[in-house]
Structures are given as C-alpha cells and as structure tokens.
Amino acid sequence: MPGMNPDIEKERNTATFDPKEFTILWSGGEQLYKEKKILEKLLLDDPELEDPQPISYFSHKELYENSVRKACIVGEKIRKLRADGEDGVNTYNALLGGSLGSAILKEGNPLALHYVMFLPTIMGQGTIEQQVEWLSKAWDCEIIGTYAQTELGHGTFLRGLETRADYDAKTQEFVLNTPTLTAYKWWPGGLGHTANHAVVVAQLYTKGEFRGLAPFIVQLRHSDTHEPLAGIDIGDIGTKLGMKGVNNGYLGLKNVRIPLNNMLMKNQQVLPDGTYVAPKNNVLTYGTMMFVRCAIIRDTATALAKASTIATRYSAVRRQSPIDPNQREPQIMDHTTQQLKLFPQIAKAIVFKATGDSFWNLYNVLSGEIEQGNLERLPEMHANACCLKALCSADAAAGVETCRLSCGGHGYMDCSNFPTIYGTTTAICTYEGENTVMLLQTARYLVKVYGHALTGEQLVPTVAYINEALKLQDFVNFDGSLECIVKAFQFVAANKVRVAYEQVDQRRQQGHSTEMAASLSGVFLTSAAELHGRAFLAQSAYTELLAMCKQVSPALADVLMVVLELYLVDACLNRIGDFLRFINLTDEDVTKLEVRLQRCLERLRPNAVALVDSFDLHDRVLASALGAYDGNVYEHIFESAQKNPLNKEPVNASFHKYLKPFMKAHL
C-alpha cells in the first residue's frame, strides 16, 4: 500500500485551523478525548474482535454466531471496566452506539438492548426493592434481558397492544398470554436466541378490569440449558435491510405465570389482593423510551459524521469531469454541485451533535426533577424528544443516502460501508416511535399550548415563540442575519401551529369528535410539528455554535461561523415555500439567500477534509475503502475485491455444472 494520497495530504496542509482543537471539542473536552483513545486501544488492538473475513460473505447464522462471540468479549470488557469504576455513560454510548461499537459489530450488537433498554427500564420503573433484586444480576450479565413491547400487529400505537397480563389473587401471580398471532412480540433485539429474560409490556387486568399498560420481568429460557420455558414460543424474525446481527426476535406467551413482584411498580402498583394503584402521571411509564429518544439524537449525528467523512475524503481523491478542458481533471469536490451534496451534511452532523448533547443534559436535569415529584416540564420534554427524534433520523437517513450518491457507483459497493450505515440509520426512522406518529404526538402538545397562549398564558421557553408571534401582525424587516433567520423560523412555526389549531377547531365545529378532528387534520398537524422542530434546531444551532465560538481559537471560530451560516441558510431555503407563505420575502431576498449558500460552500471548501478529520473516526469505525484516512481509495477497493471468496479459485464449479452444458447444448 502506498503512503498518503497526495491530494488528501494537500487538503490537510492547506486547512486554516487545527483539527485537533475541534476534535477535543467534539469529544466533550480533553479528559473525554483521552478516555475515548484509551477505549479505542482496549478494543481495536484486540485480535479476537477482528472478523475472519468481510461479514457480507457470512450466512445469517454465521453472522449471528460471530456477533454473539464478539458481543461476549465486549461484555467481558464492560464488566472489567465496571469493576474498575470506569464504565461511564460515554463508555456505553461508544460501545453500543454507532461509533466504536460499529467498528467491532458492524451489523449491531445482540446484547445492546440488555444495556440500552432492559437495565434502564428496571432503573426507571422498578422500586428500590426490585432494583436490589434484579440490577446486580443484570449488570453482571448473570441474566441477559431485552425489552419486548412492539407486537406483530401493533408498534407505536401502544394502546393497541394485545398481550395480556391477568392477575390471579389466589396465587398472587400474573398470567401472561398473547391471545392472537398479531399479539406476538415482534422486533426486540436479542430476543431471538440471546436473551433469557425480557421486560414484557402488556395490558394489565386486575379484578376483571383493564388498568392500562404495565411492564413485567419475564424469564424466557432456562438459566442453564437456555431451552425456552413452558408456554414460551420464541425465535429470530429473519434477515432485514440492516442491523443484521442484532438477533431481533418474536415471542408468544401461553399461560405463563410470574410472581406479583415481577411487575415493575415504581410508578403504578398492584397490591396482593388485586387492588390497583394508578401512576401519578401516565407519561411516567414512557420514561425509558424518552431516555432512548434523547440518545438517538446523538446517534444520528454519528451517522452523518461517518457518511460525510467517507464521501468528503473520497471527493478529495476522485478526479473527474474537467471544468477547463486544457487542465487536469479536478477533484470532484471542486464542483459546486458536489459541495452542495456534502457540506450541508457536515453542518448537520455538527448541529445535531451540539443539540443532542444539550438535550441530553436537559433530560438529566428533568430526570432529577421527576424524582423529586416535579412533573411540570415533562410534557414539553416528551413533545420535543418525539419531534427531534423524527427530524434528526429523517435528515440523517436522507443525508447518508445523499453522501452515497455523491460517490457514484463506488458508493453502491459493500466495501464503501454505505449500505450498512444506511441500513442502520434508516431503522431509526421506525424504532422507538415511527416518525409520523412522533410528529403527531408533538403536534398534539403544540395545539394544546397554542390554545393556552390564546388566553394570554405565558408558555414554557421552547414554545414561547408562539406568544411572541401572537403579538405580531407580520414579520417585518427580514434582513437575512443569522438571528433574523432563527426568528423567522419561529414566526413561520408559530403560524403553522396556528393553521393546524384552526383546522382542528374548524372540524370540531363541524361536529367531529376531538379525535376525528385531529385525524382529519393530520397533514396540517405533522407539518406544524416539523416546523416547530426546524425552529428548535435553528435556535439550538445558533445558541450552541455561538457558545462554541467563544471557547475556541479565532481560526476555528471562523470555520464554525461558516458552518452555522451554512446550516441556517440551507435550512431556510429547504423550507422557502413556508417562509414565502408567512413572511413578505421578495425575489431579491431569496436570491440573496441562494448566493449566500453558494458563498458558504466556497468558504468551507478549503477546510472540508480537516473538518471531517476532526470527527476523529478511526478507520475501523468507518470500515470503508472509500473513506480511509490515507486516501488510497482505489488500492483499498481492489484489496477488498481480493477478499471475495469467489476469487479464491480461477474457475467456479458452476461453470462445469451449469454453464458449460448450457453453452455446448446445441453443438
């Protein structure tokens, strides 16, 4: 393999800022950066965590078995880190999220839900006594768990779940059943053949009455033999678009009995005689899902960082389509159209990461307030988590695909790693709440608070822009400044919420029920929720990136200001129809925005490679022939072709068995 590709080396030498400075900022500070490097060395230097051949050539069974093998090695390392007191949240994020974890388990970790859902659910919804009973076993992996909520017939619509848990006061047990095929649990990661326990979400019945949904800890398999227990029908659901190593499973239950104490009762209780004690707030039972949605926002930033790194490095090396026929073919990154594909994805990665970090901190503060019984901001947090989950995942999936397309035919190859990144990223649009349903949940909150604002009530900070918009007849003096673009987003969002509110109200006045009025107004509601999310992201980008600029060198601050301007101008132009509808923009105003967008691309061009280098993604994490740090794209592509098992023999057996008889048949 040759040394560094000269084109990519030139890009690094001509950058105007020090990538290491932004790497430390991106990592969360010097200490977290050092911890990241230690963790990388711990895992990436272990030869046991390498694959014997590219996993795209594995069968489904081989991939699962190899994934379990490596997941257990990672689990053992986590166990040791925990014993040494070095297992912070960032460790789990790295090992189970889309960064370091994907270097080891490209198609997902079959133990991931044990750490990401099973343990947090026990911590968030179990009593102190239940935590004492279950957590030590789960942390030590004496039991392996998953989270079984989604069913074959129902997903995001939780009230439609059919799995039943009937309380038998005589024996003080719950009897669990999946009464129909559509009631079978379907999709939980690790459920197929890995987990021996699950948190099962089911309809709760006591004294013959339906009480709502409740979580139950259910043992699925024998602790020694791993055989399914009586009444348990369990298996793997099969191959998927992505996340092929996660071992998603199905679960049927037939008269499975569990003790009373196996219902997690921090928020709601069933007493031995069957008396039901309702939760103070129904939203409390959704705490685990809100926790995961907060984490997802940061995962989308990682996906965009990976895709944009691969595509940007490739675009620095690939030369094609002369601009001047008398000159050498240019780097394709010199084409403005290529820059428009790549650079907004880099900007989104940075904005989503900053927003995700800020939102995660807000979630932790809110969790403390909830523990103290203060539920005031819970509806706001839930609405924003739903909205950001939907927008960030949709943008990330589209951004990954844009980056793949920017690499032409080579982006279609498995060795580019785009198929795996896309398969993993687009899944986020569906799991932990399908995106349209998430937007509708946000919209329900927005319509409610809009009604409050009409009565003069001052709203909480993230929707206070509605109060401001109600004071204005028109948005005047659009000067195109960054602050003005943010304010304009908020004004447009407020008006989209107004339109949705009026549509729902109009249908109510026509005699429709509140539920039917909302259903008939669904397009208006989702559109309002999306604009609310866009306004939230615009405000977050403005606040967080300006704060970053105050912490860094002038050289890096200049680059971050270009990133901020690119993000806001691009976001504005992408919703220009809504802006024109509610703000009196002229043709000249729009043209100025388009020219500014192109100018941002030009200004970011010299630092594009340095910016993606700053994401500090190890070559094993990228796992891409197109995106390796050394830039030797063609050598890596050819090397990957040599690993193809078909190329191990000059003549495949199919020639003699099929092709030759076919070709000679009429001679």
Side-chain angles (χ1 to χ4, degrees), residues 57-108:
Y57 300 116
F58 283 14
S59 69
H60 184 59
K61 183 171 181 288
E62 289 170 337
L63 177 61
Y64 168 66
E65 290 169 353
N66 188 54
S67 297
V68 171
R69 176 185 70 81
K70 293 200 290 184
C72 289
I73 296 172
V74 172
E76 185 56 47
K77 291 181 185 293
I78 290 176
R79 186 182 280 161
K80 186 176 186 305
L81 288 168
R82 185 166 176 269
D84 295 339
E86 298 174 359
D87 63 330
V89 171
N90 290 302
T91 299
Y92 291 103
N93 283 343
L95 292 177
L96 303 172
S99 54
L100 185 56
S102 68
I104 303 157
L105 289 142
K106 263 181 79 174
E107 288 287 358

Side-chain angles (χ1 to χ4, degrees), residues 274-292:
T275 301
Y276 176 68
V277 181
K280 294 178 183 177
N281 188 315
N282 285 331
V283 182
L284 285 173
T285 59
Y286 300 145
T288 304
M289 295 189 74
M290 196 160 68
F291 159 79
V292 175

Side-chain angles (χ1 to χ4, degrees), residues 577-608:
D578 290 313
F579 274 67
L580 290 169
R581 179 180 178 184
F582 297 113
I583 297 176
N584 188 25
L585 294 179
T586 66
D587 175 61
E588 183 181 3
D589 290 329
V590 177
T591 300
K592 284 180 179 178
L593 286 170
E594 291 173 334
V595 171
R596 277 177 73 190
L597 177 65
Q598 184 156 335
R599 179 65 184 133
C600 286
L601 299 176
E602 293 171 4
R603 289 160 62 200
L604 203 60
R605 167 66 184 87
N607 289 301

Side-chain angles (χ1 to χ4, degrees), residues 387 390-391 435-444 525-526 529-530:
C387 187
L391 293 193
N435 280 358
T436 301
V437 178
M438 293 294 93
L439 292 174
L440 287 170
Q441 290 192 20
T442 301
R444 188 181 304 122
L525 290 168
T526 54
E530 179 171 353

Side-chain angles (χ1 to χ4, degrees), residues 607-623:
N607 289 301
V609 169
L611 261 179
V612 298
D613 282 352
S614 300
F615 296 149
D616 194 39
L617 295 165
H618 193 284
D619 275 356
R620 287 270 300 279
V621 172
L622 293 174

